[in-house]
PDB file of all heavy atoms in Angstrom:
ATOM      1  N   LYS A  11      11.578  58.164  -2.176  1.00 42.00           N
ATOM      2  CA  LYS A  11      10.226  58.393  -2.666  1.00 42.00           C
ATOM      3  C   LYS A  11       9.667  57.131  -3.316  1.00 42.00           C
ATOM      4  O   LYS A  11       8.513  56.755  -3.106  1.00 42.00           O
ATOM      5  CB  LYS A  11      10.237  59.546  -3.680  1.00 42.00           C
ATOM      6  CG  LYS A  11       8.834  59.924  -4.174  1.00 42.00           C
ATOM      7  CD  LYS A  11       8.910  61.127  -5.088  1.00 42.00           C
ATOM      8  CE  LYS A  11       7.502  61.520  -5.564  1.00 42.00           C
ATOM      9  NZ  LYS A  11       7.535  62.690  -6.450  1.00 42.00           N
ATOM     10  N   LEU A  18      10.095  50.406  -5.088  1.00 49.00           N
ATOM     11  CA  LEU A  18      11.322  49.700  -4.742  1.00 49.00           C
ATOM     12  C   LEU A  18      11.114  48.883  -3.484  1.00 49.00           C
ATOM     13  O   LEU A  18      10.260  49.178  -2.652  1.00 49.00           O
ATOM     14  CB  LEU A  18      12.466  50.695  -4.515  1.00 49.00           C
ATOM     15  CG  LEU A  18      12.913  51.524  -5.728  1.00 49.00           C
ATOM     16  CD1 LEU A  18      14.124  52.359  -5.366  1.00 49.00           C
ATOM     17  CD2 LEU A  18      13.226  50.644  -6.914  1.00 49.00           C
ATOM     18  N   THR A  46      -2.231  40.474 -28.380  1.00 96.00           N
ATOM     19  CA  THR A  46      -1.673  40.136 -29.678  1.00 96.00           C
ATOM     20  C   THR A  46      -0.754  38.931 -29.575  1.00 96.00           C
ATOM     21  O   THR A  46      -0.154  38.688 -28.528  1.00 96.00           O
ATOM     22  CB  THR A  46      -0.891  41.334 -30.262  1.00 96.00           C
ATOM     23  OG1 THR A  46      -0.333  40.986 -31.515  1.00 96.00           O
ATOM     24  CG2 THR A  46       0.230  41.750 -29.336  1.00 96.00           C
ATOM     25  N   CYS A  54       0.455  31.565 -35.840  1.00 90.00           N
ATOM     26  CA  CYS A  54      -0.719  32.437 -35.734  1.00 90.00           C
ATOM     27  C   CYS A  54      -1.688  32.154 -36.884  1.00 90.00           C
ATOM     28  O   CYS A  54      -1.280  31.719 -37.962  1.00 90.00           O
ATOM     29  CB  CYS A  54      -0.310  33.914 -35.728  1.00 90.00           C
ATOM     30  SG  CYS A  54       0.769  34.400 -37.073  1.00 90.00           S
ATOM     31  N   ILE A  62      -5.191  28.388 -46.552  1.00 94.00           N
ATOM     32  CA  ILE A  62      -4.365  29.221 -47.435  1.00 94.00           C
ATOM     33  C   ILE A  62      -2.873  29.053 -47.200  1.00 94.00           C
ATOM     34  O   ILE A  62      -2.063  29.659 -47.904  1.00 94.00           O
ATOM     35  CB  ILE A  62      -4.745  30.719 -47.311  1.00 94.00           C
ATOM     36  CG1 ILE A  62      -4.421  31.255 -45.910  1.00 94.00           C
ATOM     37  CG2 ILE A  62      -6.225  30.918 -47.640  1.00 94.00           C
ATOM     38  CD1 ILE A  62      -4.660  32.757 -45.775  1.00 94.00           C
ATOM     39  N   ASP A 117      -4.829  29.770 -19.380  1.00 94.00           N
ATOM     40  CA  ASP A 117      -5.651  29.866 -20.584  1.00 94.00           C
ATOM     41  C   ASP A 117      -5.967  31.329 -20.887  1.00 94.00           C
ATOM     42  O   ASP A 117      -5.524  32.239 -20.185  1.00 94.00           O
ATOM     43  CB  ASP A 117      -6.928  29.040 -20.438  1.00 94.00           C
ATOM     44  CG  ASP A 117      -7.800  29.507 -19.275  1.00 94.00           C
ATOM     45  OD1 ASP A 117      -7.575  30.616 -18.739  1.00 94.00           O
ATOM     46  OD2 ASP A 117      -8.718  28.758 -18.890  1.00 94.00           O
ATOM     47  N   LEU A 118      -6.718  31.557 -21.948  1.00 95.00           N
ATOM     48  CA  LEU A 118      -7.033  32.925 -22.368  1.00 95.00           C
ATOM     49  C   LEU A 118      -7.761  33.691 -21.272  1.00 95.00           C
ATOM     50  O   LEU A 118      -7.487  34.874 -21.029  1.00 95.00           O
ATOM     51  CB  LEU A 118      -7.880  32.895 -23.647  1.00 95.00           C
ATOM     52  CG  LEU A 118      -8.351  34.251 -24.176  1.00 95.00           C
ATOM     53  CD1 LEU A 118      -7.175  35.166 -24.462  1.00 95.00           C
ATOM     54  CD2 LEU A 118      -9.211  34.056 -25.431  1.00 95.00           C
ATOM     55  N   MET A 122      -6.523  37.199 -19.575  1.00 98.00           N
ATOM     56  CA  MET A 122      -7.351  38.404 -19.599  1.00 98.00           C
ATOM     57  C   MET A 122      -7.619  38.899 -18.193  1.00 98.00           C
ATOM     58  O   MET A 122      -7.558  40.106 -17.908  1.00 98.00           O
ATOM     59  CB  MET A 122      -8.665  38.119 -20.330  1.00 98.00           C
ATOM     60  CG  MET A 122      -8.511  37.881 -21.817  1.00 98.00           C
ATOM     61  SD  MET A 122     -10.036  37.267 -22.593  1.00 98.00           S
ATOM     62  CE  MET A 122     -11.156  38.623 -22.298  1.00 98.00           C
ATOM     63  N   GLY A 141      -8.836  42.169 -29.318  1.00 96.00           N
ATOM     64  CA  GLY A 141      -7.791  41.349 -29.901  1.00 96.00           C
ATOM     65  C   GLY A 141      -7.168  42.073 -31.083  1.00 96.00           C
ATOM     66  O   GLY A 141      -7.248  43.305 -31.194  1.00 96.00           O
ATOM     67  N   LEU A 166     -19.941  44.557 -24.289  1.00 98.00           N
ATOM     68  CA  LEU A 166     -19.430  43.432 -25.066  1.00 98.00           C
ATOM     69  C   LEU A 166     -19.667  43.668 -26.546  1.00 98.00           C
ATOM     70  O   LEU A 166     -20.721  44.187 -26.948  1.00 98.00           O
ATOM     71  CB  LEU A 166     -20.135  42.136 -24.662  1.00 98.00           C
ATOM     72  CG  LEU A 166     -19.804  41.544 -23.288  1.00 98.00           C
ATOM     73  CD1 LEU A 166     -20.954  40.683 -22.804  1.00 98.00           C
ATOM     74  CD2 LEU A 166     -18.517  40.736 -23.357  1.00 98.00           C
ATOM     75  N   ASP A 171     -18.928  34.391 -34.766  1.00 90.00           N
ATOM     76  CA  ASP A 171     -18.628  32.976 -34.519  1.00 90.00           C
ATOM     77  C   ASP A 171     -19.056  32.498 -33.136  1.00 90.00           C
ATOM     78  O   ASP A 171     -18.781  31.366 -32.749  1.00 90.00           O
ATOM     79  CB  ASP A 171     -17.135  32.707 -34.716  1.00 90.00           C
ATOM     80  CG  ASP A 171     -16.247  33.478 -33.742  1.00 90.00           C
ATOM     81  OD1 ASP A 171     -16.794  34.172 -32.844  1.00 90.00           O
ATOM     82  OD2 ASP A 171     -15.019  33.400 -33.867  1.00 90.00           O
ATOM     83  N   SER A 203     -25.008  34.439 -19.813  1.00 97.00           N
ATOM     84  CA  SER A 203     -25.678  33.711 -18.735  1.00 97.00           C
ATOM     85  C   SER A 203     -25.095  34.104 -17.379  1.00 97.00           C
ATOM     86  O   SER A 203     -25.840  34.345 -16.413  1.00 97.00           O
ATOM     87  CB  SER A 203     -25.538  32.207 -18.959  1.00 97.00           C
ATOM     88  OG  SER A 203     -26.098  31.475 -17.882  1.00 97.00           O
ATOM     89  N   LYS A 242      -1.765  39.983 -53.161  1.00 89.00           N
ATOM     90  CA  LYS A 242      -0.567  39.553 -52.443  1.00 89.00           C
ATOM     91  C   LYS A 242      -0.750  38.154 -51.859  1.00 89.00           C
ATOM     92  O   LYS A 242       0.137  37.301 -51.944  1.00 89.00           O
ATOM     93  CB  LYS A 242      -0.254  40.552 -51.323  1.00 89.00           C
ATOM     94  CG  LYS A 242       1.092  40.358 -50.680  1.00 89.00           C
ATOM     95  CD  LYS A 242       1.409  41.515 -49.748  1.00 89.00           C
ATOM     96  CE  LYS A 242       2.817  41.383 -49.189  1.00 89.00           C
ATOM     97  NZ  LYS A 242       3.161  42.538 -48.300  1.00 89.00           N
TER      98      LYS A 242
END
Side-chain angles (χ1 to χ4, degrees):
K11 184 176 181 180
L18 296 185
T46 179
C54 52
I62 65 175
D117 61 14
L118 177 58
M122 291 170 62
L166 289 155
D171 62 4
S203 176
K242 191 171 185 178

